[in-house]
Amino acid sequence: MDKKKNISMAVIKRLPKYHRYLRELMENDIDRISSKELSEKIGFTASQIRQDLNNFGDFGQQGYGYNVKELYNEISAILGLTKIYKTVIIGAGNIGQAIANYTYFDKVGFSVQGMFDINPKIIGLKINDVEVLDIDFLDDFLRKDNIDIGIICVPKNSAQKVCDMLIRNKVKGIWNFAPVDLQIPEDAQIVVENVHLSESLLTLSCLMNDDIN
Amino acid sequence: MDKKKNISMAVIKRLPKYHRYLRELMENDIDRISSKELSEKIGFTASQIRQDLNNFGDFGQQGYGYNVKELYNEISAILGLTKIYKTVIIGAGNIGQAIANYTYFDKVGFSVQGMFDINPKIIGLKINDVEVLDIDFLDDFLRKDNIDIGIICVPKNSAQKVCDMLIRNKVKGIWNFAPVDLQIPEDAQIVVENVHLSESLLTLSCLMNDDIN
């Protein structure tokens, strides 16, 4: 497994895209693909692709291309997709509901075990078969169940409090949609991935700005 | 304006974060900040910050730090936030509604002019005072109004069709939430920013994977 270690962040960020394209190839019954063909589809250069995939083992064979299924399985393993992740969604507004309704996440192994909200109008609703519970039950729920990932979809003022509770209960990953940088103690064994929508929109307007292009 | 040109993509990606932090400083009535203090808040190194901000003019003064308001205004200008963007949201499901309800976007100048969907149960709803129209009206709406940004929140199978319609009607920017890479003709004058949620979640699970850490 030595080859897997020390994969750079830049490569890690590209892996999900490889995963998505390889999955589509499999769905279209394509068994082999050359780095050149993959390059045309995915938009990275062929040499970039060969370099990236070289990190994970010998899947390319000169003149034969990559075995799609083997490569897909290997990338799935590196992405940690060979097990089921138990998740909770905190904040069952539009974003929380969107995630709960996104069947792809369930398909690749992210299973929503609980949803929590503070709003009496939302508590009790069933979203994709999961009942929204009062957020007062969250601490207890985390303590009893073995939750892997907390998905934070609450407003920014409540996000840190939820984050602290997730850390206290040994959750291993946080997917954060609140527009705030969470404070994580240095000794916490937890990984955070942010989706900062406002930063994405401002990147778009920046790229549309003729002054800098 | 020469200093503004040729700002690298890496710097552009960091600008929205500066913008967010400077906005918070202003809200807390802080007038000046040193690169060291800003570094502690924002998490970039002080030297990184000095280098980044040096792209836009002389805002730092040795020993005095940065003038928060001037820097905020300058970064706002570079981010293209000195004007109002007319936007439409295509797909008024959970994600589309979340965006329409996010008041921050309106505050910084992104104004939702129309929402469109194919689902009769959603058509006619008012989301944050904007009525959801039948998607059949989209082409007409784009032709008559001068829409700057199309926000694509439809399922992946319909996304390219919507994208083509936006390009045909000279929309300048696309904010794409569909899990697909849109095909853009080389001669199209349009900028695309993607929010690929599944790629973000897979990055999280990858970082949680002990095999590579």
Side-chain angles (χ1 to χ4, degrees), chain B residues 38-57:
Chain B
L38 196 54
S39 158
E40 280 157 18
K41 282 187 175 291
I42 206 167
F44 307 149
T45 66
S47 108
Q48 172 84 80
I49 289 174
R50 283 192 298 270
Q51 206 178 319
D52 282 353
L53 300 187
N54 211 22
N55 281 297
F56 326 126

Side-chain angles (χ1 to χ4, degrees), chain A:
Chain A
M1 296 296 233
D2 263 358
K3 274 227 162 190
K4 284 193 190 175
K5 295 189 196 274
N6 298 318
I7 297 175
S8 78
M9 197 60 203
V11 178
I12 288 177
K13 287 275 178 194
R14 283 193 290 272
L15 286 183
K17 197 165 176 182
Y18 285 114
H19 190 262
R20 174 156 58 88
Y21 274 89
L22 290 166
R23 193 184 169 95
E24 277 174 22
L25 290 174
M26 281 168 64
E27 283 167 3
N28 292 316
D29 294 322
I30 295 170
D31 295 333
R32 301 198 78 87
I33 189 163
S34 68
S35 49
K36 185 163 171 285
E37 289 165 313
L38 196 54
S39 158
E40 280 156 17
K41 281 187 175 292
I42 205 167
F44 308 148
T45 65
S47 109
Q48 172 83 82
I49 289 175
R50 284 192 298 269
Q51 205 178 321
D52 282 353
L53 301 186
N54 210 25
N55 280 298
F56 325 126
D58 261 343
F59 293 96
Q61 222 182 320
Q62 195 73 38
Y64 288 87
Y66 294 102
N67 178 317
V68 172
K69 195 171 175 198
E70 273 179 33
L71 192 53
Y72 176 83
N73 288 341
E74 183 67 9
I75 289 182
S76 295
I78 295 163
L79 288 171
L81 298 180
T82 47
K83 54 185 167 185
I84 304 294
Y85 293 92
K86 292 163 88 174
T87 72
V88 291
I89 297 174
I90 308 107
N94 292 129
I95 291 278
Q97 292 189 25
I99 293 165
N101 279 319
Y102 201 0
T103 53
Y104 167 81
F105 295 149
D106 198 62
K107 257 190 229 165
V108 292
F110 300 89
S111 165
V112 179
Q113 304 287 305
M115 293 183 76
F116 299 87
D117 206 284
I118 202 171
N119 183 346
K121 286 185 192 158
I122 293 181
I123 294 168
L125 288 184
K126 278 205 164 182
I127 316 292
N128 204 6
D129 283 337
V130 177
E131 188 182 346
V132 180
L133 303 177
D134 190 311
I135 200 160
D136 284 347
F137 295 124
L138 176 61
D139 206 6
D140 226 39
F141 194 96
L142 291 171
R143 197 166 22 231
K144 286 179 191 157
D145 293 75
N146 208 356
I147 298 299
D148 300 296
I149 296 175
I151 305 173
I152 300 184
C153 305
V154 299
K156 79 175 184 184
N157 292 338
S158 335
Q160 186 61 51
K161 203 176 139 195
V162 170
C163 169
D164 295 342
M165 193 183 283
L166 293 170
I167 292 174
R168 204 164 58 235
N169 285 291
K170 314 279 184 219
V171 166
K172 300 178 207 84
I174 291 179
W175 200 21
N176 174 44
F177 285 79
V180 64
D181 295 314
L182 300 168
Q183 302 302 314
I184 309 289
E186 276 186 24
D187 60 346
Q189 297 291 313
I190 198 160
V191 177
V192 179
E193 165 78 9
N194 293 298
V195 179
H196 285 323
L197 293 184
S198 59
E199 296 186 8
S200 173
L201 182 58
L202 268 49
T203 302
L204 176 64
S205 65
C206 187
L207 294 172
M208 289 168 66
N209 185 356
D210 290 333
D211 289 351
I212 67 155
N213 295 315

Side-chain angles (χ1 to χ4, degrees), chain B residues 16-115:
Chain B
K17 197 165 177 181
Y18 285 114
H19 189 263
R20 175 155 59 87
Y21 274 89
L22 290 165
R23 192 183 169 96
E24 277 174 21
L25 291 173
M26 282 170 62
E27 283 168 3
N28 293 316
D29 295 322
I30 294 169
D31 294 333
R32 300 198 78 86
I33 189 161
S34 69
S35 50
K36 187 164 169 287
E37 289 165 312
L38 196 54
S39 158
E40 280 157 18
K41 282 187 175 291
I42 206 167
F44 307 149
T45 66
S47 108
Q48 172 84 80
I49 289 174
R50 283 192 298 270
Q51 206 178 319
D52 282 353
L53 300 187
N54 211 22
N55 281 297
F56 326 126
D58 260 345
F59 293 96
Q61 222 182 323
Q62 194 73 36
Y64 288 87
Y66 295 101
N67 178 316
V68 171
K69 195 170 175 201
E70 273 179 33
L71 192 53
Y72 176 82
N73 288 342
E74 183 67 10
I75 289 181
S76 295
I78 295 163
L79 287 172
L81 297 181
T82 46
K83 53 184 167 186
I84 303 294
Y85 293 91
K86 292 163 90 174
T87 73
V88 291
I89 297 174
I90 307 107
N94 292 129
I95 292 278
Q97 292 189 25
I99 293 165
N101 279 319
Y102 202 179
T103 53
Y104 166 83
F105 294 149
D106 198 60
K107 257 188 228 164
V108 292
F110 300 90
S111 166
V112 179
Q113 304 286 306
M115 292 183 76

